[in-house]
Amino acid sequence: MDTVNSWHLVETLVPGQMTVISTGGKVRDWTKIDRLSPGPEFDLPGFLELTRSSRAQQDVLFKGRRREARIRAVPVLGPSGETHGIQVWVGDPEVEPDPVRIVSGIAWLLERTVIEQTVEASAMSGVSAADHVPERTPAEYNAKAVKFDGSEELFAQALVPTHGQKWEGPMSVLHADGRIMRWHCWGRGRTDPPNVGLRLLWHDVTDTTEPDKPTLAELGMPSGLESGGTRIAVFDGRTGILTMWLPEAPTWVKWRDLTSGCGVLHDDDRATLSDALEKWTHDTSPVSADVRVRAIDGGDATGWKWQQTRLELRPYPGQLGDRLVLAVLPALQPSEQVLEVPTP
């Protein structure tokens, strides 16, 4: 892979660690930064550390014994203002660097049950700066994808983070203009407050790699659930976080634009999820539970009420069976009496 006159993406998701993860939009395997150095006399680690800590672009014209090079380093800042990554150009002195590639930093904050994002992260999918929302729930972020096969591994890392542990995977995302993009995503676990969860980088690599498309079976899944009159929510049974919908949310549930990923179920009803997990340690049959679900109130998308709803809870069949719970909901709003409780 040609490393000259190209942009390289270096992740700095955990202080004290730096690896090259992409060159010219082509994914690399968490490679040491040494090979980017234009010569043994140049202190590349120090140069990149200055960029990381200062959060400011650095430029230098290197003149070594055997080579001259233009080096530019541009930080990729996350929502907290810390440096999630650095775009690095190493090229011939007479070559002006290309515009930086499209990269953004986000953070999955486990303790607050939200994903924080920068304006750049919103812009990647065509959202204008005026419509940027700095925080989204995990379910809202997963809803951006038209195909994402790495959700289980992502949840495993985000819900039970190990400091510095690596995760990566591709995601196909629908742009606001209707085209499908391919993003490649990298993350590392964080256990230091207030960063507990995952630090991540999203990189648009559509120009180098064809986006994956949903299979016919995946495209047919919504109609199958519709004919059955149900939808499926995936919850973290221990915290009550709504992680995603399979494949889409019921139109009556108020799940977007919440301040917490735990806000779909009433506080007093979340224990039904953890109770089901405990039961499944010796009996994996489905569990019926009457809970209060946040529902859209009439035609006003901003208004809501607690809707008494019967869920069928089922064990998650994958590696996160001790955490995730499948909740089958009616596709149409139930006719049960609304239970009036104070708005939290």
Side-chain angles (χ1 to χ4, degrees), residues 79 105-107 112 114-123 125-137 140-141 144 255-260:
I106 71 169
R112 295 187 50 229
V114 295
I115 291 176
E116 284 190 328
Q117 60 178 356
T118 60
V119 172
E120 292 79 10
S122 293
S125 56
V127 176
S128 69
D131 294 326
H132 166 66
V133 177
E135 294 182 356
R136 290 292 190 190
T137 66
E140 287 178 289
Y141 237 89
K144 296 168 70 74
W255 62 283
R256 290 187 178 275
D257 302 315
L258 305 183
T259 58
S260 168

Side-chain angles (χ1 to χ4, degrees), residues 152-164:
E152 186 173 48
E153 291 77 14
L154 176 62
F155 297 156
Q157 295 264 22
L159 297 175
V160 191
T162 298
H163 196 77

Side-chain angles (χ1 to χ4, degrees), residues 193-235:
N195 301 305
V196 177
L198 278 180
R199 283 278 183 85
L200 300 126
L201 284 166
W202 276 187
H203 188 8
D204 187 348
V205 296
T206 312
D207 61 324
T208 67
T209 310
E210 185 73 16
D212 293 327
K213 306 292 176 60
T215 65
L216 289 175
E218 289 167 336
L219 291 172
M221 190 177 179
S223 60
L225 290 173
E226 183 65 43
S227 64
T230 60
R231 291 289 189 269
I232 298 177
V234 183
F235 287 98

Side-chain angles (χ1 to χ4, degrees), residues 232-256:
I232 298 177
V234 183
F235 287 98
D236 175 25
R238 298 189 187 179
T239 62
I241 298 172
L242 174 66
T243 60
M244 65 187 301
W245 292 98
L246 297 175
E248 57 189 30
T251 56
W252 61 273
V253 177
K254 172 67 174 174
W255 62 283
R256 290 187 178 275

